[in-house]
Amino acid sequence: YRRPYVALKLAVSLDGRIAVRKGERTFLTGDEANREVHRLRSGFDAVLVGGETACIDDPLLTVRHGFDPRIQPTRVVADPRAKLSPDASMLGDGSEAPVVVFATEAAPAERVEGLGDVGARVEIVPQGGGGANLGKMLERCWHLGLRSVFCEGGARLATALAREGLAQRFYVFQAPVTLGSQGVPAFEGESSTPEGLGWSSRGEPMQFGPDVLITYDYQGG
């Protein structure tokens, strides 16, 4: 089966957390790191987020900050129950970047139809552990002509892709803040570091303003 090249990106605190508390949008990194994210985004065919992240953050997922990609990456949402609002910013921003929502049979038909009515392409994939079958989702991405996918969260989706050996690279932006024990951990379960999930860092960490980017490649768990 052919699948796209997948890179993961997370912004984490010094104590390995991604949000102040569950369900709360948290801005961790500064302008220079955010600009680098847009530069990275511009090199991929698609930008992927989980349905929960799409609902909490309501992101546009387009390339901005002065970068001019050869194509605007397709916006992909892994959204098993089609919870994405038809009023979501990415569906009404007038961008030529397509929106593809991957739902499962568990999604109510009226939600699927509602997303189709506002211009999203809804693809139904089999269910998998905790949501959509990610391997099948990526195979469908390949069939849609998407050869590279930049996954921008959330943590659950990133961890699942890493655990299933479906991602090849991991960009971790570390912000000089701590969020404390009530914060949402970046990696669910025991493996609380990329190394614990079978990744090894490559090259030197790079500084973007106050934030540090560490890049990892997958070595197998």
Side-chain angles (χ1 to χ4, degrees), residues 9-12 27-41 64-65 67 150 152 171-176 206-214:
K9 171 246 142 184
L10 281 180
V12 302
F27 295 98
L28 287 175
T29 48
D31 290 346
E32 289 173 56
N34 293 343
R35 188 176 153 76
E36 175 62 9
V37 168
H38 280 262
R39 191 190 70 78
L40 289 169
R41 204 182 260 187
R64 302 183 301 282
H65 290 287
F67 294 105
F150 189 49
E152 293 201 34
Y171 298 100
V172 178
F173 287 85
Q174 197 170 59
M206 293 172 71
Q207 195 84 31
F208 291 94
D211 308 308
V212 174
L213 167 62
I214 307 165

Tab-separated table of all heavy atoms in Angstrom, residues 9-12 27-41 64-65 67 150 152 171-176 206-214:
chain	number	residue	atom	x	y	z
A	9	LYS	N	4.163	17.720	13.827
A	9	LYS	CA	4.665	18.936	14.470
A	9	LYS	C	3.873	19.172	15.745
A	9	LYS	O	2.637	19.109	15.742
A	9	LYS	CB	4.509	20.134	13.521
A	9	LYS	CG	4.780	21.496	14.139
A	9	LYS	CD	3.526	22.335	14.176
A	9	LYS	CE	3.442	23.145	15.430
A	9	LYS	NZ	2.175	23.898	15.532
A	10	LEU	N	4.578	19.383	16.843
A	10	LEU	CA	3.915	19.762	18.084
A	10	LEU	C	4.701	20.892	18.741
A	10	LEU	O	5.934	20.941	18.628
A	10	LEU	CB	3.850	18.589	19.072
A	10	LEU	CG	2.782	17.509	18.872
A	10	LEU	CD1	2.917	16.446	19.963
A	10	LEU	CD2	1.371	18.077	18.873
A	11	ALA	N	3.999	21.778	19.417
A	11	ALA	CA	4.645	22.775	20.272
A	11	ALA	C	4.434	22.309	21.706
A	11	ALA	O	3.307	21.993	22.099
A	11	ALA	CB	4.012	24.147	20.064
A	12	VAL	N	5.524	22.213	22.463
A	12	VAL	CA	5.429	21.702	23.831
A	12	VAL	C	6.105	22.658	24.812
A	12	VAL	O	6.978	23.444	24.441
A	12	VAL	CB	6.079	20.295	23.968
A	12	VAL	CG1	5.432	19.305	23.016
A	12	VAL	CG2	7.582	20.342	23.756
A	27	PHE	N	-1.467	29.160	23.271
A	27	PHE	CA	-0.396	29.619	22.384
A	27	PHE	C	0.922	29.493	23.133
A	27	PHE	O	1.133	30.171	24.138
A	27	PHE	CB	-0.622	31.083	21.975
A	27	PHE	CG	-1.854	31.269	21.134
A	27	PHE	CD1	-3.037	31.703	21.708
A	27	PHE	CD2	-1.833	31.013	19.776
A	27	PHE	CE1	-4.188	31.879	20.944
A	27	PHE	CE2	-2.973	31.179	18.999
A	27	PHE	CZ	-4.146	31.620	19.584
A	28	LEU	N	1.791	28.621	22.666
A	28	LEU	CA	3.055	28.407	23.368
A	28	LEU	C	4.219	29.115	22.687
A	28	LEU	O	5.072	29.685	23.350
A	28	LEU	CB	3.366	26.898	23.442
A	28	LEU	CG	2.520	26.072	24.406
A	28	LEU	CD1	2.863	24.602	24.271
A	28	LEU	CD2	2.753	26.533	25.840
A	29	THR	N	4.280	29.054	21.369
A	29	THR	CA	5.464	29.543	20.666
A	29	THR	C	5.265	30.961	20.146
A	29	THR	O	4.142	31.415	19.944
A	29	THR	CB	5.813	28.600	19.501
A	29	THR	OG1	4.621	28.335	18.747
A	29	THR	CG2	6.357	27.280	20.020
A	30	GLY	N	6.373	31.636	19.916
A	30	GLY	CA	6.363	33.028	19.477
A	30	GLY	C	6.342	33.183	17.972
A	30	GLY	O	6.257	32.209	17.213
A	31	ASP	N	6.443	34.432	17.525
A	31	ASP	CA	6.307	34.770	16.106
A	31	ASP	C	7.327	34.061	15.219
A	31	ASP	O	6.995	33.607	14.125
A	31	ASP	CB	6.450	36.286	15.910
A	31	ASP	CG	5.253	37.031	16.478
A	31	ASP	OD1	4.232	36.371	16.754
A	31	ASP	OD2	5.346	38.262	16.650
A	32	GLU	N	8.589	33.992	15.685
A	32	GLU	CA	9.620	33.401	14.811
A	32	GLU	C	9.372	31.919	14.593
A	32	GLU	O	9.537	31.404	13.483
A	32	GLU	CB	11.006	33.656	15.401
A	32	GLU	CG	11.413	35.124	15.307
A	32	GLU	CD	12.712	35.413	16.051
A	32	GLU	OE1	13.720	34.755	15.737
A	32	GLU	OE2	12.706	36.298	16.937
A	33	ALA	N	8.968	31.221	15.651
A	33	ALA	CA	8.645	29.795	15.507
A	33	ALA	C	7.418	29.620	14.618
A	33	ALA	O	7.373	28.717	13.763
A	33	ALA	CB	8.408	29.166	16.870
A	34	ASN	N	6.416	30.479	14.792
A	34	ASN	CA	5.204	30.360	13.973
A	34	ASN	C	5.510	30.598	12.493
A	34	ASN	O	4.950	29.933	11.617
A	34	ASN	CB	4.133	31.348	14.458
A	34	ASN	CG	3.633	30.980	15.850
A	34	ASN	OD1	3.834	29.857	16.305
A	34	ASN	ND2	3.007	31.927	16.530
A	35	ARG	N	6.422	31.523	12.240
A	35	ARG	CA	6.833	31.767	10.855
A	35	ARG	C	7.512	30.526	10.266
A	35	ARG	O	7.279	30.162	9.110
A	35	ARG	CB	7.779	32.975	10.845
A	35	ARG	CG	8.129	33.458	9.464
A	35	ARG	CD	8.994	34.721	9.526
A	35	ARG	NE	9.827	34.818	8.336
A	35	ARG	CZ	9.382	35.189	7.149
A	35	ARG	NH1	8.123	35.513	6.981
A	35	ARG	NH2	10.193	35.228	6.109
A	36	GLU	N	8.338	29.873	11.073
A	36	GLU	CA	9.005	28.649	10.607
A	36	GLU	C	7.980	27.547	10.321
A	36	GLU	O	8.129	26.778	9.365
A	36	GLU	CB	10.029	28.182	11.652
A	36	GLU	CG	10.713	26.856	11.343
A	36	GLU	CD	11.552	26.843	10.063
A	36	GLU	OE1	11.774	27.907	9.440
A	36	GLU	OE2	11.995	25.743	9.683
A	37	VAL	N	6.920	27.479	11.127
A	37	VAL	CA	5.858	26.491	10.872
A	37	VAL	C	5.228	26.744	9.501
A	37	VAL	O	4.980	25.805	8.739
A	37	VAL	CB	4.783	26.530	11.991
A	37	VAL	CG1	3.550	25.719	11.581
A	37	VAL	CG2	5.361	26.007	13.294
A	38	HIS	N	4.993	28.004	9.170
A	38	HIS	CA	4.415	28.318	7.854
A	38	HIS	C	5.387	27.968	6.737
A	38	HIS	O	4.968	27.496	5.669
A	38	HIS	CB	3.991	29.790	7.786
A	38	HIS	CG	2.678	30.035	8.456
A	38	HIS	ND1	1.491	30.105	7.770
A	38	HIS	CD2	2.352	30.166	9.762
A	38	HIS	CE1	0.497	30.294	8.616
A	38	HIS	NE2	1.006	30.335	9.845
A	39	ARG	N	6.677	28.168	6.976
A	39	ARG	CA	7.677	27.789	5.963
A	39	ARG	C	7.647	26.268	5.750
A	39	ARG	O	7.655	25.789	4.618
A	39	ARG	CB	9.073	28.231	6.404
A	39	ARG	CG	10.124	28.120	5.294
A	39	ARG	CD	11.540	28.337	5.817
A	39	ARG	NE	11.988	27.235	6.649
A	39	ARG	CZ	12.427	26.057	6.161
A	39	ARG	NH1	12.456	25.834	4.861
A	39	ARG	NH2	12.805	25.104	6.992
A	40	LEU	N	7.591	25.514	6.848
A	40	LEU	CA	7.513	24.056	6.739
A	40	LEU	C	6.216	23.636	6.038
A	40	LEU	O	6.224	22.809	5.123
A	40	LEU	CB	7.561	23.421	8.135
A	40	LEU	CG	8.904	23.490	8.874
A	40	LEU	CD1	8.734	23.080	10.335
A	40	LEU	CD2	9.953	22.606	8.199
A	41	ARG	N	5.122	24.235	6.460
A	41	ARG	CA	3.798	23.927	5.890
A	41	ARG	C	3.813	24.090	4.373
A	41	ARG	O	3.200	23.305	3.647
A	41	ARG	CB	2.807	24.922	6.506
A	41	ARG	CG	1.384	24.503	6.548
A	41	ARG	CD	0.542	25.638	7.141
A	41	ARG	NE	0.208	25.464	8.538
A	41	ARG	CZ	-0.616	26.249	9.206
A	41	ARG	NH1	-1.184	27.292	8.598
A	41	ARG	NH2	-0.875	26.033	10.475
A	64	ARG	N	0.747	31.348	5.312
A	64	ARG	CA	0.750	32.803	5.367
A	64	ARG	C	2.159	33.289	5.733
A	64	ARG	O	3.129	32.630	5.419
A	64	ARG	CB	-0.310	33.281	6.372
A	64	ARG	CG	-1.719	32.798	6.024
A	64	ARG	CD	-2.798	33.311	6.957
A	64	ARG	NE	-2.620	32.942	8.348
A	64	ARG	CZ	-2.906	31.746	8.844
A	64	ARG	NH1	-3.352	30.773	8.062
A	64	ARG	NH2	-2.741	31.490	10.126
A	65	HIS	N	2.264	34.432	6.356
A	65	HIS	CA	3.557	35.011	6.762
A	65	HIS	C	4.506	35.251	5.586
A	65	HIS	O	5.715	35.105	5.711
A	65	HIS	CB	4.248	34.121	7.807
A	65	HIS	CG	3.564	34.143	9.146
A	65	HIS	ND1	3.617	35.215	9.997
A	65	HIS	CD2	2.792	33.212	9.755
A	65	HIS	CE1	2.907	34.941	11.089
A	65	HIS	NE2	2.390	33.742	10.964
A	67	PHE	N	5.009	33.582	2.828
A	67	PHE	CA	5.496	32.457	2.026
A	67	PHE	C	4.507	32.178	0.905
A	67	PHE	O	3.296	32.265	1.081
A	67	PHE	CB	5.686	31.204	2.895
A	67	PHE	CG	6.770	31.373	3.910
A	67	PHE	CD1	6.465	31.574	5.250
A	67	PHE	CD2	8.097	31.379	3.530
A	67	PHE	CE1	7.457	31.762	6.193
A	67	PHE	CE2	9.107	31.568	4.467
A	67	PHE	CZ	8.787	31.759	5.798
A	150	PHE	N	1.663	17.128	6.474
A	150	PHE	CA	2.231	17.789	7.647
A	150	PHE	C	1.155	17.784	8.720
A	150	PHE	O	0.150	18.483	8.610
A	150	PHE	CB	2.614	19.223	7.256
A	150	PHE	CG	3.400	19.990	8.289
A	150	PHE	CD1	4.507	19.446	8.905
A	150	PHE	CD2	3.035	21.298	8.611
A	150	PHE	CE1	5.244	20.177	9.836
A	150	PHE	CE2	3.769	22.043	9.533
A	150	PHE	CZ	4.878	21.467	10.154
A	152	GLU	N	-0.353	18.718	12.165
A	152	GLU	CA	-0.155	19.768	13.168
A	152	GLU	C	-0.977	19.562	14.434
A	152	GLU	O	-1.260	20.501	15.152
A	152	GLU	CB	-0.471	21.128	12.539
A	152	GLU	CG	0.524	21.513	11.454
A	152	GLU	CD	0.547	22.999	11.203
A	152	GLU	OE1	0.362	23.786	12.149
A	152	GLU	OE2	0.752	23.382	10.045
A	171	TYR	N	8.769	17.315	14.126
A	171	TYR	CA	9.276	18.636	14.489
A	171	TYR	C	8.687	19.016	15.847
A	171	TYR	O	7.464	19.153	15.977
A	171	TYR	CB	8.855	19.684	13.457
A	171	TYR	CG	9.393	19.439	12.067
A	171	TYR	CD1	8.602	18.857	11.079
A	171	TYR	CD2	10.706	19.795	11.733
A	171	TYR	CE1	9.096	18.637	9.789
A	171	TYR	CE2	11.204	19.586	10.451
A	171	TYR	CZ	10.396	19.006	9.492
A	171	TYR	OH	10.892	18.796	8.231
A	172	VAL	N	9.531	19.153	16.859
A	172	VAL	CA	9.063	19.522	18.192
A	172	VAL	C	9.570	20.926	18.532
A	172	VAL	O	10.788	21.146	18.625
A	172	VAL	CB	9.534	18.510	19.260
A	172	VAL	CG1	9.071	18.955	20.646
A	172	VAL	CG2	8.984	17.116	18.952
A	173	PHE	N	8.654	21.873	18.653
A	173	PHE	CA	9.000	23.237	19.051
A	173	PHE	C	8.824	23.331	20.558
A	173	PHE	O	7.721	23.131	21.067
A	173	PHE	CB	8.089	24.249	18.354
A	173	PHE	CG	8.367	24.427	16.890
A	173	PHE	CD1	7.798	23.580	15.954
A	173	PHE	CD2	9.219	25.435	16.451
A	173	PHE	CE1	8.053	23.736	14.598
A	173	PHE	CE2	9.486	25.602	15.099
A	173	PHE	CZ	8.900	24.747	14.166
A	174	GLN	N	9.915	23.640	21.252
A	174	GLN	CA	9.852	23.711	22.709
A	174	GLN	C	9.873	25.174	23.156
A	174	GLN	O	10.787	25.923	22.808
A	174	GLN	CB	11.028	22.954	23.321
A	174	GLN	CG	10.827	22.641	24.783
A	174	GLN	CD	11.889	21.684	25.292
A	174	GLN	OE1	13.074	21.998	25.227
A	174	GLN	NE2	11.473	20.540	25.798
A	175	ALA	N	8.837	25.551	23.915
A	175	ALA	CA	8.736	26.929	24.403
A	175	ALA	C	9.272	26.995	25.831
A	175	ALA	O	9.126	26.045	26.598
A	175	ALA	CB	7.278	27.370	24.370
A	176	PRO	N	9.891	28.134	26.214
A	176	PRO	CA	10.507	28.248	27.544
A	176	PRO	C	9.492	28.554	28.638
A	176	PRO	O	9.604	29.535	29.360
A	176	PRO	CB	11.503	29.389	27.355
A	176	PRO	CG	10.868	30.261	26.321
A	176	PRO	CD	10.125	29.338	25.397
A	206	MET	N	17.557	24.025	16.768
A	206	MET	CA	17.602	25.355	16.152
A	206	MET	C	16.792	26.323	16.984
A	206	MET	O	15.713	25.991	17.466
A	206	MET	CB	17.050	25.298	14.724
A	206	MET	CG	17.921	24.496	13.778
A	206	MET	SD	17.106	24.269	12.173
A	206	MET	CE	17.216	25.927	11.519
A	207	GLN	N	17.313	27.534	17.119
A	207	GLN	CA	16.666	28.565	17.926
A	207	GLN	C	15.804	29.454	17.038
A	207	GLN	O	16.258	29.940	16.005
A	207	GLN	CB	17.749	29.407	18.610
A	207	GLN	CG	17.235	30.278	19.735
A	207	GLN	CD	17.123	29.533	21.062
A	207	GLN	OE1	17.897	28.620	21.331
A	207	GLN	NE2	16.155	29.916	21.881
A	208	PHE	N	14.550	29.654	17.431
A	208	PHE	CA	13.664	30.615	16.758
A	208	PHE	C	13.127	31.540	17.837
A	208	PHE	O	12.168	31.191	18.536
A	208	PHE	CB	12.528	29.888	16.023
A	208	PHE	CG	12.992	29.113	14.830
A	208	PHE	CD1	13.305	27.762	14.935
A	208	PHE	CD2	13.157	29.736	13.602
A	208	PHE	CE1	13.758	27.049	13.836
A	208	PHE	CE2	13.610	29.033	12.496
A	208	PHE	CZ	13.915	27.685	12.616
A	209	GLY	N	13.779	32.707	17.982
A	209	GLY	CA	13.400	33.589	19.082
A	209	GLY	C	13.637	32.840	20.387
A	209	GLY	O	14.674	32.207	20.580
A	210	PRO	N	12.655	32.858	21.296
A	210	PRO	CA	12.845	32.177	22.579
A	210	PRO	C	12.630	30.663	22.493
A	210	PRO	O	12.892	29.940	23.458
A	210	PRO	CB	11.754	32.802	23.465
A	210	PRO	CG	10.697	33.226	22.507
A	210	PRO	CD	11.387	33.608	21.225
A	211	ASP	N	12.142	30.179	21.337
A	211	ASP	CA	11.758	28.769	21.209
A	211	ASP	C	12.865	27.951	20.535
A	211	ASP	O	13.686	28.478	19.791
A	211	ASP	CB	10.468	28.655	20.394
A	211	ASP	CG	9.371	29.550	20.954
A	211	ASP	OD1	9.110	29.460	22.164
A	211	ASP	OD2	8.802	30.348	20.187
A	212	VAL	N	12.835	26.657	20.792
A	212	VAL	CA	13.840	25.754	20.230
A	212	VAL	C	13.137	24.679	19.410
A	212	VAL	O	12.130	24.101	19.860
A	212	VAL	CB	14.669	25.087	21.357
A	212	VAL	CG1	15.623	24.048	20.791
A	212	VAL	CG2	15.448	26.139	22.131
A	213	LEU	N	13.649	24.428	18.205
A	213	LEU	CA	13.111	23.361	17.359
A	213	LEU	C	14.064	22.169	17.385
A	213	LEU	O	15.244	22.295	17.070
A	213	LEU	CB	12.938	23.855	15.916
A	213	LEU	CG	12.674	22.778	14.855
A	213	LEU	CD1	11.371	22.028	15.133
A	213	LEU	CD2	12.640	23.389	13.461
A	214	ILE	N	13.514	21.017	17.781
A	214	ILE	CA	14.282	19.773	17.727
A	214	ILE	C	13.607	18.887	16.684
A	214	ILE	O	12.383	18.683	16.723
A	214	ILE	CB	14.304	19.054	19.093
A	214	ILE	CG1	14.781	20.024	20.181
A	214	ILE	CG2	15.206	17.826	19.050
A	214	ILE	CD1	14.500	19.550	21.595
